[in-house]
Amino acid sequence: MMKQLILGVIFLIQANLAYAAVATYHVAPGGSDWPCGGTSNACDKISTVTSNTSANNVTIRLAAGSYDDVVYIDASGSAISILTISGGWNADFSNQDCEPLSTVLRVQVNHSAIKIYTPAASSIDADLSCVTIKGIAATSRIGLALSTRGGDITFKAQQIVFDHIAGSALTLYSDDSGSLMLSCKKSF
């Protein structure tokens, strides 16, 4: 009985460690299409990573520069449950300067730069830091959108600048059965 209990505890610890393993991807202007993500083979867009990864705990490091991208994460159709996106990395990803203006996510016409959606029974923890979300046209109406219909979103923003957004820099929606937690630090 004691041997089975010990084996069960070891299995549980190993299962939790496997779930917590972080897949780190690198993204740079002029990067590659999938498969990509290493420091010497960076991806071209955030959406290239989020659309193709099968990892559940994802860290994306953005090299300084501008990105024309539409990132949409639907937690029901994505393996991602923990997402960290940080800008300001140098070209070889060895050093980060958290100056938000050095990494710019340009909002495309009639889209958000980043939209996260969680339907019922799904959840995501997301962390965004060291970036500027910038509108590029009068129709750049929403910079960042978080929407839940029965799911859960925990979102942390640190050192984010919203610039030239014609409408809402940030939109939040949660129905009666969902939960949405937002934490902001040094965001403008």
Side-chain angles (χ1 to χ4, degrees), residues 51-167:
S51 298
N52 291 289
T53 186
S54 60
N56 59 14
N57 189 343
V58 175
T59 293
I60 299 174
R61 293 180 176 168
L62 301 173
S66 291
Y67 297 89
D68 294 332
D69 199 0
V70 176
V71 179
Y72 178 68
I73 299 170
D74 179 340
S76 68
S78 173
I80 300 171
S81 60
I82 301 171
L83 176 64
T84 302
I85 300 173
S86 64
W89 290 89
N90 64 355
D92 67 0
F93 300 95
S94 62
N95 189 34
Q96 183 184 29
D97 178 9
C98 195
E99 167 53 51
L101 296 176
S102 71
T103 305
V104 179
L105 306 179
R106 295 168 27 114
V107 179
Q108 300 305 295
V109 175
N110 295 320
H111 290 284
S112 304
I114 298 176
K115 181 176 182 180
I116 298 174
Y117 170 69
T118 59
S122 63
S123 66
I124 190 164
D125 290 339
D127 189 342
L128 180 65
S129 62
C130 308
V131 299
T132 292
I133 297 177
K134 183 175 184 170
I136 59 171
T139 56
S140 299
R141 291 180 281 209
I142 300 172
L144 174 63
L146 306 175
S147 176
T148 179
R149 291 189 185 270
D152 301 309
I153 298 175
T154 301
F155 187 84
K156 292 175 233 138
Q158 183 172 336
Q159 291 189 255
I160 307 244
V161 173
F162 292 98
D163 185 27
H164 288 88
I165 305 294

Side-chain angles (χ1 to χ4, degrees), residues 8-81:
V9 170
I10 290 171
F11 175 75
L12 183 61
I13 290 170
Q14 287 176 334
N16 285 335
L17 289 176
Y19 182 80
V22 178
T24 300
Y25 296 93
H26 301 84
V27 176
S32 302
D33 200 1
W34 196 260
C36 56
T39 56
S40 62
N41 184 31
C43 295
D44 58 345
K45 298 178 180 180
I46 299 168
S47 60
T48 300
V49 175
T50 59
S51 298
N52 291 289
T53 186
S54 60
N56 59 14
N57 189 343
V58 175
T59 293
I60 299 174
R61 293 180 176 168
L62 301 173
S66 291
Y67 297 89
D68 294 332
D69 199 0
V70 176
V71 179
Y72 178 68
I73 299 170
D74 179 340
S76 68
S78 173
I80 300 171
S81 60

